[in-house]
Amino acid sequence: MMSPPSSSSSSIQTEELRGGGSLSLSLTLIPGLPNDLSALILAFVPFSHHNRLKSISKSWKTFFSSKTLFSFRKKHLPPSHLSNLLCIFPQDPSITSPYLFDSQSLAWCPLPPMPCNPNVYGLCNFTAISVGTSLYVLGGSVFDTRSFPLDRPCSSSAAFRFDFTTSSWSHLSPMITPRGSFACAAIPDSDKILVAGGGSRHAMFGAAGSRMSSVEMYDIKTDEWIALDGLPRFRAGCVGFFISHKDNAEFWVMGGYGESRTVSGMFPVDEYYRDAVVMDLKTGGRWIEVGDMWEEGERRRLGKIVVVEDEDWDFPGIFMLDGTFIYRYDMSSNRWWKETTVPKKILDDRSVGFVALNGELHVMMFINGGDSSSDPRKSRQQRKAGFVLMQVYHPRKKTWRSVAVNPPLPHGFDFKTAVVCTFQV
């Protein structure tokens, strides 16, 4: 174990703890040990176990509910001991609880359901993003009992925040423009979130709904939304991420769809984009158009995108899951090049989750109990019930490994509609 912080420079002060769950002078974390050493020991406990440890004593409940714990972990713990978590929203988060998954301890932890609105149901196509010690749920597509016709989905402007220190949800100021299926990313080293494009489509509908080009920025400190210059054209179902290089940060918006056409004058079909647009923050938010990233007929649409940060790379790695293959984006040629092949065959790439966690790519899918190709390493009972298979690829080592875990829900996850984000504490 690493050496404890010195009392003169890094000890936990009572005044510091009062900011978000304080330790009284009369409370002791571990009898016989100073609080700063006790806090360092408890900080090594994986995040997924914190809720259970709150019942040990009043002082532990206060400590594991304090903002100091999160800052203490990031300041004193090596990166290998931080908890890299997946947050999975299986369905409407106001009805079904989101779940945290700790990739180190292979443990699940439920979160409280989001505040319920009796007039709104069926929330999907929302975006979940983590900033600091909070998780944000923005926008989405819903059915609203106050709208007409009742069977048509509409966009939501609602915004919610889950604070991990208080384990509670709060309402935020709504977005200026309601939207779902939009690009979203947090500006690095700031308390701001950008959203771009989107529309009103619902998961159970085909090529229907509106598209938009508006762009907004959310200021976390002031709880305000600010309108920015819009995208060059309407774009929904797109992906957004930041690329930081030296002192510059660029907000990329890739793929998506705009106009739709009909087949035989009856069936609507999306027209997917093959290009990207970039907002350069140094130029005041001006949009730069990037040409097509693949040729006609090479692929129909952009796959699922993740970004991996690595201090040894000049630029972050941008990876795409397209069917059974993972591609890597090359900025100089504006093309996608094959990186690797997923070991286990993917029958439906839409029902697969794809995230970057701790510098690795996670390809996730739920294996039904009746699947004859279930992982042989699982017991007969586990294979019968079904499990989540995570195929993990390390871009630097170019190696694969797999992890099979039981889902917290008996019916597993449908990654076609589930929303997944990452969180590190």
Side-chain angles (χ1 to χ4, degrees), residues 5 10-14 17 22-43 59-60 63 72:
S10 303
S11 61
I12 300 179
Q13 303 296 329
T14 302
L17 288 167
S22 61
L23 283 178
S24 168
L25 288 174
S26 61
L27 296 179
T28 302
L29 288 175
I30 300 177
L33 293 179
N35 271 356
D36 54 356
L37 179 58
S38 301
L40 181 62
I41 295 173
L42 296 179
S59 61
W60 282 32
F63 176 71
F72 197 76

Side-chain angles (χ1 to χ4, degrees), residues 4-84:
S6 61
S7 58
S8 60
S9 60
S10 303
S11 61
I12 300 179
Q13 303 296 329
T14 302
E15 296 180 358
E16 178 187 7
L17 288 167
R18 283 176 182 155
S22 61
L23 283 178
S24 168
L25 288 174
S26 61
L27 296 179
T28 302
L29 288 175
I30 300 177
L33 293 179
N35 271 356
D36 54 356
L37 179 58
S38 301
L40 181 62
I41 295 173
L42 296 179
F44 274 85
V45 177
F47 178 82
S48 57
H49 300 301
H50 287 187
N51 277 340
R52 279 176 282 183
L53 294 178
K54 289 179 182 179
S55 62
I56 298 295
S57 65
K58 183 178 180 180
S59 61
W60 282 32
K61 181 178 181 180
T62 302
F63 176 71
F64 283 112
S65 302
S66 67
K67 291 185 178 180
T68 302
L69 170 63
F70 293 89
S71 60
F72 197 76
R73 284 174 61 87
K74 290 192 175 182
K75 181 177 181 180
H76 296 294
L77 268 64
S80 60
H81 283 78
L82 292 176
S83 294
N84 294 284

Side-chain angles (χ1 to χ4, degrees), residues 178-190:
R179 70 186 76 217
S181 300
F182 53 93
C184 177
I187 301 178
D189 302 321
S190 75

Side-chain angles (χ1 to χ4, degrees), residues 17 40 53 60 63 65 111 126 132 136 143 172 188 208 255 296 298 319-320 327 350 360 363 365 420:
L17 288 167
L40 181 62
L53 294 178
W60 282 32
F63 176 71
S65 302
L111 298 180
F126 57 91
Y136 295 81
F143 288 105
L172 304 177
E296 182 71 35
E298 185 178 350
F319 297 90
M320 173 177 63
Y327 295 85
R350 292 178 298 173
E360 296 179 311
V363 180
M365 51 187 174
V420 184

Side-chain angles (χ1 to χ4, degrees), residues 384-406:
K384 184 177 180 181
F387 57 92
V388 176
L389 176 63
M390 299 186 180
Q391 301 182 82
V392 185
Y393 176 72
H394 197 297
R396 186 191 295 178
K397 299 178 181 177
K398 299 189 180 301
T399 57
W400 281 95
R401 61 184 177 88
S402 63
V403 180
V405 295
N406 293 326

Side-chain angles (χ1 to χ4, degrees), residues 130-163:
S130 63
V131 180
T133 60
S134 299
L135 180 69
Y136 295 81
V137 173
L138 309 175
S141 301
V142 296
F143 288 105
D144 195 323
T145 59
R146 298 164 294 183
S147 65
F148 183 83
L150 293 177
D151 61 346
R152 295 290 179 87
C154 57
S155 298
S156 171
S157 61
F160 300 88
R161 175 171 57 211
F162 181 79
D163 190 332

Side-chain angles (χ1 to χ4, degrees), residues 98-110:
Y99 284 86
L100 292 178
F101 176 71
D102 191 326
S103 60
Q104 293 177 333
S105 59
L106 302 182
W108 296 96
C109 175

